[in-house]
Amino acid sequence: MNISRRLFGGAVATSAAGVAVAALGACSTDSTTAPATTTPASDLRAGAGANTTLGPIKHIDAGVLDVGYAEFGPSTGQPVVLLHGWPYDAYSYADVGPLLAAAGYRVIVPFLRGYGPTTFLSAKTVRNGQQTAIARDIIDFMDALHIDKAILGGFDWGARTVDIIAALWPQRCTAIVSVSGYLVTQQAAQQQPLPPEAELGWWYQYYFATERGRLGYTRNRHDFNKLIWRRASPQWDFDDATYDRSAAAFDNPDHVDIVISNYRWRLSLAPGEPQYDGYEQQLAAGPAISVPAITISSDFDGAAQDGKSYRSKFTGAYEHRILNGIGHNVPQEAPRSFTRAIIDVDHF
């Protein structure tokens, strides 16, 4: 999660796919100059969600990881890879996956390094949470599954990863959906102070920069992350069972190391690994994203909700959508709107 610019407030086919798309409502097709569209919260509330299972969790060796992942839909469908963030997991897509599967897509939702059933293949591998290590994981994951190209969607760490892949490996992206827009971390920019109210939103990152924070997160991660959920999505009345399904992913033996590494690396308080230096140098220039893209903002994005601050970073077919009344976990809070975005961007 990145709170640097945010303020908290306290279809197309004709078979079964056509029916599923129609159920999601009409889709915008103006992909280059369309103004931001706003959807009221009354159309979006998902409560605890419709689905309580991801189905059988599959595994595959990919790069340095044994990746656990959920899969929905026909194996012959257009691939869609969906990525979660912190402190969330693959259950963020428990409703989106079946909706896209009903529209004929092959939907794949991996657990990121440090989450749930995903584990490192070697005890000697550095437990590194830097942004390009995670992005490289997803490229390796796609390679292992023999997926040359996919629609990529994500929020939080997932959106950052989607943006990085679109910038560095555009040939692997059919199109992207990115919640909160352009989230590529540039370490030099992270050294600059923010206005006091914005700095307040970083409290947990400063906490993680201390050994007290590491110890506190290790001991209290269940309650800590539940607090983040409530602050990031104040209008989402999720129940304990919904949270606990995801909280199980935080018991991964590498979870604390990956989270602490991620946030310390952003602030230049922890080193990355040399093999990712070339990627980070490219990202330091703030590269544009040329693949077709839909960005989504919510109440979580505060003053950045209109998307204007990152509009210039998207140079291909593009649309920005605003979801009022929705918090940070957009796919789980507003699964139909997130699903519509995936389907729409596929047809830009």
PDB file of all heavy atoms in Angstrom, residues 2-5 190 194 197-207 263 266-267:
ATOM      1  N   ASN A   2       0.445   2.261  -0.721  1.00  0.00           N
ATOM      2  CA  ASN A   2       1.197   3.512  -0.772  1.00  0.00           C
ATOM      3  C   ASN A   2       0.239   4.643  -0.469  1.00  0.00           C
ATOM      4  O   ASN A   2      -0.665   4.914  -1.228  1.00  0.00           O
ATOM      5  CB  ASN A   2       1.807   3.696  -2.170  1.00  0.00           C
ATOM      6  CG  ASN A   2       2.707   4.901  -2.249  1.00  0.00           C
ATOM      7  OD1 ASN A   2       2.762   5.710  -1.327  1.00  0.00           O
ATOM      8  ND2 ASN A   2       3.414   5.009  -3.352  1.00  0.00           N
ATOM      9  N   ILE A   3       0.433   5.316   0.645  1.00  0.00           N
ATOM     10  CA  ILE A   3      -0.491   6.357   1.079  1.00  0.00           C
ATOM     11  C   ILE A   3       0.115   7.736   0.863  1.00  0.00           C
ATOM     12  O   ILE A   3      -0.367   8.720   1.388  1.00  0.00           O
ATOM     13  CB  ILE A   3      -0.844   6.190   2.569  1.00  0.00           C
ATOM     14  CG1 ILE A   3      -0.948   4.727   2.919  1.00  0.00           C
ATOM     15  CG2 ILE A   3      -2.125   6.888   2.941  1.00  0.00           C
ATOM     16  CD1 ILE A   3      -2.228   4.064   2.752  1.00  0.00           C
ATOM     17  N   SER A   4       1.161   7.849   0.086  1.00  0.00           N
ATOM     18  CA  SER A   4       1.898   9.098   0.018  1.00  0.00           C
ATOM     19  C   SER A   4       1.067  10.255  -0.488  1.00  0.00           C
ATOM     20  O   SER A   4       1.339  11.389  -0.175  1.00  0.00           O
ATOM     21  CB  SER A   4       3.118   8.922  -0.879  1.00  0.00           C
ATOM     22  OG  SER A   4       2.729   8.597  -2.194  1.00  0.00           O
ATOM     23  N   ARG A   5       0.046  10.002  -1.282  1.00  0.00           N
ATOM     24  CA  ARG A   5      -0.737  11.102  -1.843  1.00  0.00           C
ATOM     25  C   ARG A   5      -2.203  10.994  -1.473  1.00  0.00           C
ATOM     26  O   ARG A   5      -3.063  11.589  -2.097  1.00  0.00           O
ATOM     27  CB  ARG A   5      -0.574  11.099  -3.357  1.00  0.00           C
ATOM     28  CG  ARG A   5      -1.066   9.803  -3.994  1.00  0.00           C
ATOM     29  CD  ARG A   5      -0.748   9.759  -5.473  1.00  0.00           C
ATOM     30  NE  ARG A   5      -1.200   8.500  -6.029  1.00  0.00           N
ATOM     31  CZ  ARG A   5      -1.016   8.143  -7.275  1.00  0.00           C
ATOM     32  NH1 ARG A   5      -0.388   8.946  -8.080  1.00  0.00           N
ATOM     33  NH2 ARG A   5      -1.451   6.987  -7.717  1.00  0.00           N
ATOM     34  N   GLN A 190      11.007   9.445  -3.397  1.00  0.00           N
ATOM     35  CA  GLN A 190      10.558   9.041  -2.071  1.00  0.00           C
ATOM     36  C   GLN A 190      11.295   9.769  -0.952  1.00  0.00           C
ATOM     37  O   GLN A 190      10.857   9.757   0.193  1.00  0.00           O
ATOM     38  CB  GLN A 190      10.739   7.534  -1.895  1.00  0.00           C
ATOM     39  CG  GLN A 190       9.861   6.674  -2.784  1.00  0.00           C
ATOM     40  CD  GLN A 190       8.429   6.605  -2.295  1.00  0.00           C
ATOM     41  OE1 GLN A 190       8.164   6.289  -1.147  1.00  0.00           O
ATOM     42  NE2 GLN A 190       7.500   6.903  -3.171  1.00  0.00           N
ATOM     43  N   LEU A 194       6.471  15.310   2.273  1.00  0.00           N
ATOM     44  CA  LEU A 194       5.118  15.603   1.817  1.00  0.00           C
ATOM     45  C   LEU A 194       4.441  16.553   2.799  1.00  0.00           C
ATOM     46  O   LEU A 194       4.936  16.759   3.918  1.00  0.00           O
ATOM     47  CB  LEU A 194       4.324  14.299   1.718  1.00  0.00           C
ATOM     48  CG  LEU A 194       4.857  13.265   0.723  1.00  0.00           C
ATOM     49  CD1 LEU A 194       4.219  11.916   1.002  1.00  0.00           C
ATOM     50  CD2 LEU A 194       4.614  13.704  -0.705  1.00  0.00           C
ATOM     51  N   GLU A 197      -0.441  16.317   6.425  1.00  0.00           N
ATOM     52  CA  GLU A 197      -1.555  15.367   6.405  1.00  0.00           C
ATOM     53  C   GLU A 197      -1.227  14.145   5.571  1.00  0.00           C
ATOM     54  O   GLU A 197      -1.630  13.027   5.895  1.00  0.00           O
ATOM     55  CB  GLU A 197      -2.826  16.050   5.895  1.00  0.00           C
ATOM     56  CG  GLU A 197      -3.524  16.909   6.924  1.00  0.00           C
ATOM     57  CD  GLU A 197      -4.916  17.311   6.471  1.00  0.00           C
ATOM     58  OE1 GLU A 197      -5.025  18.260   5.674  1.00  0.00           O
ATOM     59  OE2 GLU A 197      -5.879  16.662   6.901  1.00  0.00           O
ATOM     60  N   ALA A 198      -0.490  14.345   4.468  1.00  0.00           N
ATOM     61  CA  ALA A 198      -0.097  13.207   3.646  1.00  0.00           C
ATOM     62  C   ALA A 198       0.923  12.336   4.372  1.00  0.00           C
ATOM     63  O   ALA A 198       0.864  11.104   4.311  1.00  0.00           O
ATOM     64  CB  ALA A 198       0.470  13.700   2.317  1.00  0.00           C
ATOM     65  N   GLU A 199       1.851  12.973   5.082  1.00  0.00           N
ATOM     66  CA  GLU A 199       2.840  12.199   5.836  1.00  0.00           C
ATOM     67  C   GLU A 199       2.160  11.330   6.894  1.00  0.00           C
ATOM     68  O   GLU A 199       2.621  10.220   7.188  1.00  0.00           O
ATOM     69  CB  GLU A 199       3.843  13.138   6.508  1.00  0.00           C
ATOM     70  CG  GLU A 199       4.763  13.886   5.551  1.00  0.00           C
ATOM     71  CD  GLU A 199       5.874  13.022   4.978  1.00  0.00           C
ATOM     72  OE1 GLU A 199       5.805  11.781   5.078  1.00  0.00           O
ATOM     73  OE2 GLU A 199       6.833  13.594   4.411  1.00  0.00           O
ATOM     74  N   LEU A 200       1.061  11.832   7.452  1.00  0.00           N
ATOM     75  CA  LEU A 200       0.342  11.071   8.471  1.00  0.00           C
ATOM     76  C   LEU A 200      -0.085   9.706   7.939  1.00  0.00           C
ATOM     77  O   LEU A 200      -0.072   8.708   8.662  1.00  0.00           O
ATOM     78  CB  LEU A 200      -0.884  11.869   8.941  1.00  0.00           C
ATOM     79  CG  LEU A 200      -1.752  11.227  10.025  1.00  0.00           C
ATOM     80  CD1 LEU A 200      -0.957  11.068  11.315  1.00  0.00           C
ATOM     81  CD2 LEU A 200      -3.001  12.071  10.266  1.00  0.00           C
ATOM     82  N   GLY A 201      -0.439   9.649   6.669  1.00  0.00           N
ATOM     83  CA  GLY A 201      -0.865   8.398   6.076  1.00  0.00           C
ATOM     84  C   GLY A 201       0.238   7.366   5.953  1.00  0.00           C
ATOM     85  O   GLY A 201      -0.026   6.192   5.721  1.00  0.00           O
ATOM     86  N   TRP A 202       1.475   7.786   6.109  1.00  0.00           N
ATOM     87  CA  TRP A 202       2.617   6.875   6.002  1.00  0.00           C
ATOM     88  C   TRP A 202       2.966   6.219   7.328  1.00  0.00           C
ATOM     89  O   TRP A 202       3.996   5.554   7.435  1.00  0.00           O
ATOM     90  CB  TRP A 202       3.850   7.659   5.539  1.00  0.00           C
ATOM     91  CG  TRP A 202       3.890   8.036   4.112  1.00  0.00           C
ATOM     92  CD1 TRP A 202       3.125   8.963   3.470  1.00  0.00           C
ATOM     93  CD2 TRP A 202       4.782   7.523   3.126  1.00  0.00           C
ATOM     94  NE1 TRP A 202       3.490   9.067   2.158  1.00  0.00           N
ATOM     95  CE2 TRP A 202       4.504   8.189   1.916  1.00  0.00           C
ATOM     96  CE3 TRP A 202       5.797   6.571   3.146  1.00  0.00           C
ATOM     97  CZ2 TRP A 202       5.201   7.935   0.733  1.00  0.00           C
ATOM     98  CZ3 TRP A 202       6.489   6.311   1.974  1.00  0.00           C
ATOM     99  CH2 TRP A 202       6.187   6.980   0.779  1.00  0.00           C
ATOM    100  N   TRP A 203       2.170   6.377   8.346  1.00  0.00           N
ATOM    101  CA  TRP A 203       2.576   5.976   9.696  1.00  0.00           C
ATOM    102  C   TRP A 203       3.150   4.561   9.754  1.00  0.00           C
ATOM    103  O   TRP A 203       4.159   4.310  10.421  1.00  0.00           O
ATOM    104  CB  TRP A 203       1.389   6.095  10.662  1.00  0.00           C
ATOM    105  CG  TRP A 203       0.283   5.106  10.410  1.00  0.00           C
ATOM    106  CD1 TRP A 203      -0.766   5.243   9.564  1.00  0.00           C
ATOM    107  CD2 TRP A 203       0.154   3.811  11.000  1.00  0.00           C
ATOM    108  NE1 TRP A 203      -1.557   4.119   9.581  1.00  0.00           N
ATOM    109  CE2 TRP A 203      -1.014   3.224  10.461  1.00  0.00           C
ATOM    110  CE3 TRP A 203       0.901   3.084  11.931  1.00  0.00           C
ATOM    111  CZ2 TRP A 203      -1.444   1.946  10.814  1.00  0.00           C
ATOM    112  CZ3 TRP A 203       0.471   1.801  12.289  1.00  0.00           C
ATOM    113  CH2 TRP A 203      -0.694   1.257  11.740  1.00  0.00           C
ATOM    114  N   TYR A 204       2.526   3.633   9.058  1.00  0.00           N
ATOM    115  CA  TYR A 204       2.962   2.241   9.148  1.00  0.00           C
ATOM    116  C   TYR A 204       4.307   2.034   8.465  1.00  0.00           C
ATOM    117  O   TYR A 204       5.089   1.154   8.845  1.00  0.00           O
ATOM    118  CB  TYR A 204       1.904   1.298   8.543  1.00  0.00           C
ATOM    119  CG  TYR A 204       1.669   1.533   7.075  1.00  0.00           C
ATOM    120  CD1 TYR A 204       2.380   0.845   6.120  1.00  0.00           C
ATOM    121  CD2 TYR A 204       0.745   2.494   6.660  1.00  0.00           C
ATOM    122  CE1 TYR A 204       2.177   1.078   4.777  1.00  0.00           C
ATOM    123  CE2 TYR A 204       0.546   2.734   5.327  1.00  0.00           C
ATOM    124  CZ  TYR A 204       1.272   2.033   4.389  1.00  0.00           C
ATOM    125  OH  TYR A 204       1.071   2.291   3.053  1.00  0.00           O
ATOM    126  N   GLN A 205       4.600   2.849   7.438  1.00  0.00           N
ATOM    127  CA  GLN A 205       5.890   2.714   6.771  1.00  0.00           C
ATOM    128  C   GLN A 205       7.024   3.183   7.681  1.00  0.00           C
ATOM    129  O   GLN A 205       8.095   2.570   7.721  1.00  0.00           O
ATOM    130  CB  GLN A 205       5.886   3.490   5.453  1.00  0.00           C
ATOM    131  CG  GLN A 205       4.821   2.976   4.491  1.00  0.00           C
ATOM    132  CD  GLN A 205       5.020   3.459   3.074  1.00  0.00           C
ATOM    133  OE1 GLN A 205       6.135   3.546   2.589  1.00  0.00           O
ATOM    134  NE2 GLN A 205       3.934   3.787   2.409  1.00  0.00           N
ATOM    135  N   TYR A 206       6.779   4.259   8.423  1.00  0.00           N
ATOM    136  CA  TYR A 206       7.778   4.695   9.391  1.00  0.00           C
ATOM    137  C   TYR A 206       7.929   3.652  10.498  1.00  0.00           C
ATOM    138  O   TYR A 206       9.036   3.388  10.995  1.00  0.00           O
ATOM    139  CB  TYR A 206       7.390   6.054   9.982  1.00  0.00           C
ATOM    140  CG  TYR A 206       7.379   7.169   8.960  1.00  0.00           C
ATOM    141  CD1 TYR A 206       6.279   8.007   8.830  1.00  0.00           C
ATOM    142  CD2 TYR A 206       8.464   7.367   8.114  1.00  0.00           C
ATOM    143  CE1 TYR A 206       6.259   9.028   7.900  1.00  0.00           C
ATOM    144  CE2 TYR A 206       8.459   8.386   7.174  1.00  0.00           C
ATOM    145  CZ  TYR A 206       7.348   9.215   7.065  1.00  0.00           C
ATOM    146  OH  TYR A 206       7.344  10.218   6.138  1.00  0.00           O
ATOM    147  N   TYR A 207       6.821   3.066  10.912  1.00  0.00           N
ATOM    148  CA  TYR A 207       6.852   2.017  11.936  1.00  0.00           C
ATOM    149  C   TYR A 207       7.694   0.840  11.451  1.00  0.00           C
ATOM    150  O   TYR A 207       8.547   0.317  12.188  1.00  0.00           O
ATOM    151  CB  TYR A 207       5.412   1.596  12.218  1.00  0.00           C
ATOM    152  CG  TYR A 207       5.211   0.581  13.316  1.00  0.00           C
ATOM    153  CD1 TYR A 207       5.557   0.850  14.638  1.00  0.00           C
ATOM    154  CD2 TYR A 207       4.604  -0.642  13.036  1.00  0.00           C
ATOM    155  CE1 TYR A 207       5.323  -0.072  15.651  1.00  0.00           C
ATOM    156  CE2 TYR A 207       4.359  -1.569  14.038  1.00  0.00           C
ATOM    157  CZ  TYR A 207       4.733  -1.281  15.344  1.00  0.00           C
ATOM    158  OH  TYR A 207       4.495  -2.204  16.337  1.00  0.00           O
ATOM    159  N   TYR A 263       8.895  -2.089   2.243  1.00  0.00           N
ATOM    160  CA  TYR A 263       8.729  -0.705   2.682  1.00  0.00           C
ATOM    161  C   TYR A 263      10.059  -0.041   3.035  1.00  0.00           C
ATOM    162  O   TYR A 263      10.237   1.157   2.798  1.00  0.00           O
ATOM    163  CB  TYR A 263       7.717  -0.645   3.834  1.00  0.00           C
ATOM    164  CG  TYR A 263       6.326  -0.909   3.319  1.00  0.00           C
ATOM    165  CD1 TYR A 263       5.649  -2.080   3.610  1.00  0.00           C
ATOM    166  CD2 TYR A 263       5.708   0.008   2.476  1.00  0.00           C
ATOM    167  CE1 TYR A 263       4.389  -2.337   3.094  1.00  0.00           C
ATOM    168  CE2 TYR A 263       4.445  -0.233   1.955  1.00  0.00           C
ATOM    169  CZ  TYR A 263       3.790  -1.406   2.270  1.00  0.00           C
ATOM    170  OH  TYR A 263       2.553  -1.650   1.738  1.00  0.00           O
ATOM    171  N   ARG A 266      11.738   0.987  -0.318  1.00  0.00           N
ATOM    172  CA  ARG A 266      11.162   2.196  -0.917  1.00  0.00           C
ATOM    173  C   ARG A 266      11.790   3.469  -0.357  1.00  0.00           C
ATOM    174  O   ARG A 266      11.955   4.466  -1.066  1.00  0.00           O
ATOM    175  CB  ARG A 266       9.656   2.251  -0.665  1.00  0.00           C
ATOM    176  CG  ARG A 266       8.860   1.184  -1.357  1.00  0.00           C
ATOM    177  CD  ARG A 266       7.393   1.537  -1.265  1.00  0.00           C
ATOM    178  NE  ARG A 266       6.553   0.353  -1.349  1.00  0.00           N
ATOM    179  CZ  ARG A 266       5.232   0.382  -1.345  1.00  0.00           C
ATOM    180  NH1 ARG A 266       4.612   1.543  -1.241  1.00  0.00           N
ATOM    181  NH2 ARG A 266       4.529  -0.724  -1.426  1.00  0.00           N
ATOM    182  N   LEU A 267      12.107   3.433   0.921  1.00  0.00           N
ATOM    183  CA  LEU A 267      12.669   4.607   1.575  1.00  0.00           C
ATOM    184  C   LEU A 267      14.196   4.589   1.587  1.00  0.00           C
ATOM    185  O   LEU A 267      14.828   5.373   2.299  1.00  0.00           O
ATOM    186  CB  LEU A 267      12.135   4.692   3.006  1.00  0.00           C
ATOM    187  CG  LEU A 267      10.620   4.890   3.133  1.00  0.00           C
ATOM    188  CD1 LEU A 267      10.192   4.857   4.593  1.00  0.00           C
ATOM    189  CD2 LEU A 267      10.179   6.198   2.484  1.00  0.00           C
TER     190      LEU A 267
END
